[in-house]
Amino acid sequence: MGIEEYGGGQAQGADFLVVTTNDAPGFRVERVIGEVFGLTVRSRHLGSQIGAGLKSMVGGELKGLTKTLVQTRNQAMERLVEQAKARGANAVLTMRFDVTEAADVGTEVCAYGTAVVLSPSDVA
């Protein structure tokens, strides 16, 4: 598995800003739209569960589950951005992830934050 399969987040030069901070240096908040979120629930397939069970006996990273969680987080973040854009935002501040087990059949991942309209701040 290559490094691109372990990471996430926005691509360089994306037209929509998502940050985990309360503000974005170089920008000012023109309008707060409000909370937005992207949600997805993924079930684990039997093969990965068996593999994870075997791997847990000897230790080490569960690469299949890691890859699935990365894909799930990326999908939740994509949905967050789609919802924010649909509401007129051009950025999301204070983005966070929440991950929980969903009734012992899968993993629920929620990306959430505050949708805002940003504009470049006046710099002298």
Side-chain angles (χ1 to χ4, degrees):
M1 227 184 308
I3 189 68
E4 65 280 351
E5 294 178 288
Y6 287 107
Q10 292 183 288
Q12 194 82 18
D15 66 340
F16 191 93
L17 184 64
V18 178
V19 296
T20 59
T21 54
N22 294 330
D23 55 13
F27 294 91
R28 70 176 174 277
V29 175
E30 292 292 330
R31 184 167 51 106
V32 174
I33 294 171
E35 180 200 4
V36 289
F37 67 90
L39 180 67
T40 186
V41 178
R42 292 274 177 102
S43 64
R44 291 179 225 105
H45 62 77
L46 184 59
S48 71
Q49 287 181 311
I50 292 170
L54 293 172
K55 188 71 169 186
S56 68
M57 288 186 221
V58 295
E61 181 181 10
L62 305 173
K63 291 184 180 182
L65 292 178
T66 299
K67 184 177 178 181
T68 299
L69 186 55
V70 167
Q71 292 169 342
T72 304
R73 286 173 59 122
N74 287 343
Q75 184 177 47
M77 191 166 165
E78 288 168 8
R79 290 178 177 176
L80 166 83
V81 170
E82 288 171 9
Q83 185 187 42
K85 283 182 176 180
R87 295 181 61 193
N90 66 357
V92 171
L93 302 179
T94 63
M95 193 280 293
R96 303 285 187 264
F97 284 108
D98 184 47
V99 180
T100 58
E101 287 296 314
D104 293 328
V105 296
T107 302
E108 172 191 318
V109 176
C110 181
Y112 63 95
T114 303
V116 297
V117 174
L118 294 180
S119 64
S121 59
D122 298 328
V123 180

